[in-house]
Structure formats: C-alpha cells, structure tokens
DNA sequence: ATGGTTCTCTGACTAAAGTCAGAGAATGAA
DNA sequence: TTCATTCTCTGACTTTAGTCAGAGAACCAT
C-alpha cells in the first residue's frame, strides 16, 4: 500500500541528492576554496563578523580539536584572524576576523554569488522564478527535517532557555501579562519523570521549541508550556511536538490528552482544532486560560513516526 | 529595477546551497564512503551493472587518468571489479563489477536509501509530499541549467548524432516518412560559417539537442533541423535554442527569422506560436512542410542571457 | 612500414584532511 | 587545598586525493 509510495519518495530524494551534490555541492566547495584549502575557507566563513569561540567552531563543523587549532594557526599566520582568550573563562579562546580576514571573506562571498549566478543564468525568467520558489520550499522542509526532539530535564539550560522565552512571549501577548508563578504550573520541575516529561526541539544544537507533558496518575495527560521560536514557525514543528507528546502519552497508557490555552494565542487555537482537539468545559481553574480542549489518544504505534533523524 | 530581484534570487540560491550542502552533500559523501574512500565509492557506483570503459569513467568523474588507474587497482585488489580489454579496441579497458562488487554497491545503495529516509522521516505525510515535489522541480531546473550550448561544425560527431536522431524521429512521426536527401537541406554542411551555423546542446557531455541557422546573404535567417532528445523534453531547451539562434541572427544583422515545419510536430507548432512566431504563406517549396512561420528579430542585446554556465 | 595518436599504466611527487595521545593551564566542586 | 574536568595546543602520524611526466601497446591514415 503506502510502502510503494514511500519507495517512490525515497527514489526521488536520492535522485535529488545526486543531481544537487553534483551540480551544487562539488562546485560549492571548489568555488569556495580556489586559492585556499576548503577547510580554511569553511572556518573563515563560520567565524562570522561577530567572532566566535573555538569550541563553537569545532561543534559547528564537527572537527577534531587539534585540527581546528592547526587551521587557526594557519589563518593567523596569514593575518586573517586573531585569537584571544574569552572574557569569562580563560581556557576558552575566541577568534575574530581581522580587516584582511573580512576582505577574504568578502571574496568568498563574491564567488558564492558567482556560483549562484551560474545556476540561474542559463534559465529564462519564468524558470528562474520557479527554481527559486522550489529551492525555498526544499530549504524550508529540509530545515524542518533537521530539527531534532529530545527529552530533557526541565532544568537543562536549553529547557530553561525555552521556558524563559515562553514566559516572555506570553508576557507580551496576553493583555494581562504573564507571571509563571501565578499559573497552575509554578514549577516546571513537575514536568520531570515520573510525573511528566519535557521535550526540547533543537536546530543545529540551538533550542528552538519545547513542550511539556503532565502525566498525573489516574487522570488524563496534559500538554503544558508549548512554544516554538519565531524564526522556525511555519515548519510544522508545533504539530510535530504535539504528535510526539501524544505518542508518549499513549505509551504511558493515557487515553485522553487535555490542554488549556489563552484566547490571544490564535495560531495555537487553530492548530489544536486542526490536530483533532475538541473544545470542552473548563477542567481546571488556570487563571490565564480561556479555552480548554481534549483529544482521545491514538493507541501506541498509530502515531506518525517522529524519531530522530540521523546525523 | 530588476537588478534588485536578481540580487534577491541570488541570495535565495545561496541559502539553498548552504542548507543543502550541509544537510545533503556532506552526509551524502560520508554516508557513501563509510568504510571505503569516497573516490572508490563513487567509482564503484559509476561503473554500474553493465560495466563501463575506463575512458568513460574518467570523463564522467573528471579525474586524472593515473588516479583512476590506481583506484581501479585498489578495487581490483579487493576483488570488487575485474578489468579486461574492450572487444573492439584493445587499447581500451573495460571494468565490470564482480559478485562482491555488486554486493558492495548494494550496500552503498542501502545507505543512500537510509540517508533519503532520514530526510523524510521527521516530516508528516503532507510535508513529505511537498518536499518530494519541490525536489523534483529543483532537479529538473538544475538539469536544465546544466545543459550547455556550443556552436559545432555539422560534421562533428555530436552534431552528426543529433542530425541522425532528428531524421530518425521525423521518419517515425511523419506519415510520409522522412528522407533528408529529399528535403530542402540535403547537406547539413550548409549550416557551416559563413552560410550558417549549427548549435549543439550537451548535458554532461552527451549531445541532447541541436538547431541550425541558415544565414543567406540579403535574405531572412532561417531555423533548420531543430531537435531535442526525448528524455530532456520539458526543460525549456527548445526555447533556449530558439532564443540563442535569434540572438545570433540579430548579431549577424538579420531582421527576420523564418522556419517551416510539419503538421505532425504539434509541440513544435505550439512552441513557435508561444515564442512569438506568426504563421505566414509558404515561402519555399519544402516537401515536408505544412506550416511556415516568421518572427521579427529582436535587436542585439535584447535577448535573454543564454551564455554558458560555469563548470 | 611509418609516424602520429590514443589509451592505460607506473613511478614519484604534493597537498589537504584528519586522527590520536598527551601536555599544560584554568576552572569547579568537595 | 585537592582532584577531576574542561579547553586548547603540539607533535607525530595516516589516509585521501590528486598531479605530472613518461613508457609501452594498440590503432589509424598515408
């Protein structure tokens, strides 16, 4: 049945991979590193205008510490970067571009533009427009597919980051403001096993969304603290978080999922309805809530596959 | 004016390049060559089930002859390929996969599927469908952009290939059959400077289309022998060939472009009309023609930019 | 048959990319 | 203070990837 469709999709993706790595990937690298090893060029690019600490570079590019060190030494010898110790922690070193480094980066930039231009030039205006649109779509969806969901302790720095952002956003959007201490979940620690769980979504290691699940014994599971960072909205991440929570709730044995929300959060209201939640009478006295929803939980294994992508 | 739009498009393409090389390109290579150097893996892949001659491999992958030889030696030592001399020409060597080589290739295949799957898995069905559609579009258009147009002598093997394919196709599609000797251009050598020119379109070095231009002194320029290979139709190549011919005619000083065609070639008829040709009275007595068209030539520089993409 | 060409291979290199095992300084927790 | 940990760096390697200059066999046109 749909194994066949899936095989077709996989074949398409593979053809895409081949075409694109041939036409874009190889060119990309060799355009980039015309008079400089690709490794150095990538590093130069990744340092950015702001500067960056060495650890960050290693993580981002996935390189060995000794290797990065050597690359930096080489860039330093060419006068393209300066390496100094970070203000807070004197073990950590930060790299910044020099004037010459900026110029070199600008040259890479120009080449990157030339590559992009060479892809567009043979096409007529209508084709260009279509290519650009399709590229934007692919990019958006690949980005969506790159987001990974992890169960984290609510005290983990990434979890804290999300919870702060959640509170800050509610504070702005609700006419009443928002004070977590006054809400029904003053302590997110309640979202810790065995009383619940807390999901964090990350993109390239940066936290970009979260959702908590309360699992009170003998009572319906409850969605709490769902948030998605503004710059990754529209990627279907909220839906994915909900689906993941639902499947966790199902595995836990819950048969009903509930949540409450504020009338100001119109996008969330729409999502809950579209996802299959139905509005019900108030089941708690959360001071910030105007709407209460519930949804029967699909039995385990029936949910969409949202496992972590390989990397 | 549209410099601004172009800058926007270039920026989009660059973002795409970055996302895709990060997410697809790097993975692609390192998935592929997990326990084998990428170079060898690529070679193994490129040999294919049918076997291939060494020269073909070199061309396709753009590698040094010595390098390929060494890679083959290594694959041979691992028992993955056998190298023998080609039947026709004993200088040429052909490579075929052994049983073990096929198995290794199948393993690469599986990994490639796994990579594709890892891109799709985090997405919901609607997103998967959209991603696959957008990928197909990008791939099509990148393929279109990869086609290069060259002016070739009509006697060049690639030109001959196209002219033969042209004649064979007409022979099939016209109720009357087609005999080049009976047509008004029995000798394609007339499409040679200074009396004309002959364009060949190539994709990865293989000829996939052609178009000739007659430039009779003091008379309108005339399009002849336009053909596009079946498997690259729908990429806008015919239109691109027409545009290139028009701009060559303009540079030559022609102000009118003409052509004749057969009623069986419905796609061509549609293209000519869409491109701005208007049907006129017969201007010659070509036995295979049912329709005659002409179009005023845009002055030099006004045509779309169809210069050769970088590679 | 002869001379120029084509095709593949070998030997002798080089540069890039990356790995691994410490060493030494700074930090944080007990 | 002490001990484990974190972070960066150096030295000593290896593997990939690729280049270049011929050599030798086979082919092709004259």
């Amino acid at each position: 049945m749909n194994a066949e469709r899936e095989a077709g999709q996989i074949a398409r993706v593979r053809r895409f991979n081949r075409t694109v790595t041939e036409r874009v990937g190889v060119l990309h690298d060799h355009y980039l590193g015309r008079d400089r090893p690709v490794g150095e060029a990538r590093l130069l690019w990744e340092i950015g205008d702001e500067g960056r600490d060495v650890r960050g570079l290693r993580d981002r590019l996935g390189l060995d510490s000794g290797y990065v060190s050597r690359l930096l030494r080489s860039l330093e010898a060419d006068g393209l970067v300066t390496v100094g110790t970070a203000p807070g922690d004197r073990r950590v070193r930060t790299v910044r571009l020099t004037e010459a480094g900026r110029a070199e980066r600008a040259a890479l930039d120009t080449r990157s533009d030339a590559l992009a231009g060479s892809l567009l030039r043979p096409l007529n205006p209508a084709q260009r427009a279509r290519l650009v649109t399709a590229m934007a779509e692919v990019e958006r969806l690949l980005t969506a597919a790159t987001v990974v969901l992890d169960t984290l302790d609510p005290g983990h720095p990434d979890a804290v980051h999300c919870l702060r952002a959640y509170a800050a956003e509610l504070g702005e959007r609700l006419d009443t403001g928002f004070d977590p201490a006054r809400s029904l979940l003053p302590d997110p620690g309640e979202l810790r096993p065995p009383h619940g769980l807390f999901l964090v979504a990350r993109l390239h290691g940066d936290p970009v969304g979260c959702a908590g699940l309360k699992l009170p014994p003998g009572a319906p599971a409850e969605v709490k603290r769902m948030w998605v960072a503004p710059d990754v909205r529209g990627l279907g991440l909220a839906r994915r978080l909900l689906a993941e929570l639902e499947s966790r709730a199902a595995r836990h044995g819950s048969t009903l999922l509930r949540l409450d929300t504020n009338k100001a959060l119109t996008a969330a209201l729409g999502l809950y309805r579209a996802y299959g939640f139905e509005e019900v009478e108030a089941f708690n006295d959360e001071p910030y809530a105007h709407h209460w929803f519930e949804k029967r939980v699909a039995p385990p294994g029936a949910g969409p596959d949202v496992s972590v992508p390989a990397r």
Side-chain angles (χ1 to χ4, degrees), chain A:
Chain A
M1 24 151 289
N2 77 15
E4 208 169 301
R5 169 194 299 164
E6 196 184 313
Q9 290 186 327
I10 285 190
R12 259 255 79 84
V13 173
R14 286 189 50 179
R15 290 200 47 191
F16 173 86
N17 290 354
R18 281 181 67 74
T19 307
V20 150
T21 48
E22 235 177 70
R23 180 76 183 143
V24 176
V26 181
L27 279 180
H28 182 73
D29 280 2
H30 284 97
Y31 257 80
L32 216 73
R34 195 128 53 176
D35 27 51
R36 176 168 306 286
V38 178
E40 287 183 18
R42 283 208 296 158
L43 207 55
L44 210 49
W45 181 270
E46 210 60 56
I47 289 167
D49 285 328
E50 309 293 302
R52 194 149 192 166
D53 51 26
V54 173
R55 176 178 36 171
L57 286 175
R58 261 206 321 266
D59 286 357
R60 191 86 175 79
L61 296 172
L63 300 174
D64 175 85
S65 120
Y67 185 32
V68 169
S69 179
R70 225 173 299 275
L71 288 174
L72 286 175
R73 234 38 68 225
S74 159
L75 291 175
E76 218 175 3
D78 291 355
L80 300 177
V81 304
T82 54
V83 182
T85 62
D89 182 338
R90 293 204 327 276
R91 290 170 304 182
V92 181
R93 313 258 283 155
T94 41
V95 195
R96 341 192 123 267
L97 295 176
T98 62
E99 214 36 64
R102 268 172 231 280
E104 184 73 17
R105 219 180 86 111
L108 293 181
D109 237 46
T110 308
R111 269 186 230 150
S112 198
D113 277 355
L115 168 58
S118 84
L119 295 177
L120 290 173
R121 205 168 315 112
L123 301 176
N124 63 48
Q127 289 178 313
R128 291 181 196 186
R130 272 165 41 214
L131 178 58
V132 166
T133 305
M135 280 181 163
E137 177 92 340
V138 169
E139 198 199 320
R140 260 171 40 79
L141 289 163
L142 282 186
T143 303
T146 307
V147 171
V148 296
L149 306 186
D150 293 308
T151 319
L152 250 51
D153 188 279
H156 185 287
D158 287 347
V160 170
H161 170 93
C162 291
L163 286 164
R164 289 226 178 94
Y166 169 85
E169 180 163 352
L170 287 193
E172 264 181 40
R173 296 183 56 184
L174 311 195
D175 338 319
T176 58
F178 179 75
D179 174 8
R182 286 193 51 227
S183 82
L184 273 192
L185 185 74
D187 174 17
E190 294 178 42
L191 299 177
R192 183 176 282 150
H195 310 297
L197 60 89
F198 193 70
L199 285 181
V200 170
R202 287 187 276 203
L203 179 59
H204 301 306
D206 299 327
V208 294
C210 66
L213 189 67
K214 265 172 78 174
L215 294 165
E222 202 175 328
V223 176
K224 304 297 288 180
R225 306 286 187 250
M226 189 156 96
W227 173 76
V228 172
D231 48 328
V232 296
R233 285 180 195 166
L235 299 181
L237 181 51
R239 191 184 201 100
R240 194 170 148 204
L241 284 165
L242 269 187
E244 181 67 17
L245 287 188
E246 182 179 355
S247 98
R248 303 291 188 113
R251 263 182 279 161
H252 180 263
S254 308
T255 56
L256 194 65
L257 196 58
R258 312 203 284 202
L259 58 85
D260 60 69
T261 192
N262 186 286
K263 66 179 177 194
L265 307 175
T266 49
L269 285 166
L271 168 67
Y272 298 141
R273 292 205 176 92
Y275 189 75
F277 277 90
E278 298 198 343
E279 188 149 8
V280 294
E281 289 298 299
F283 53 78
N284 66 16
D285 50 357
E286 165 66 48
Y288 292 108
H290 300 107
H291 300 276
W292 289 259
F293 289 91
E294 67 177 37
K295 177 182 190 290
R296 208 129 285 288
V297 170
D305 184 355
V306 286
S307 57
V308 167
R311 169 47 140 159

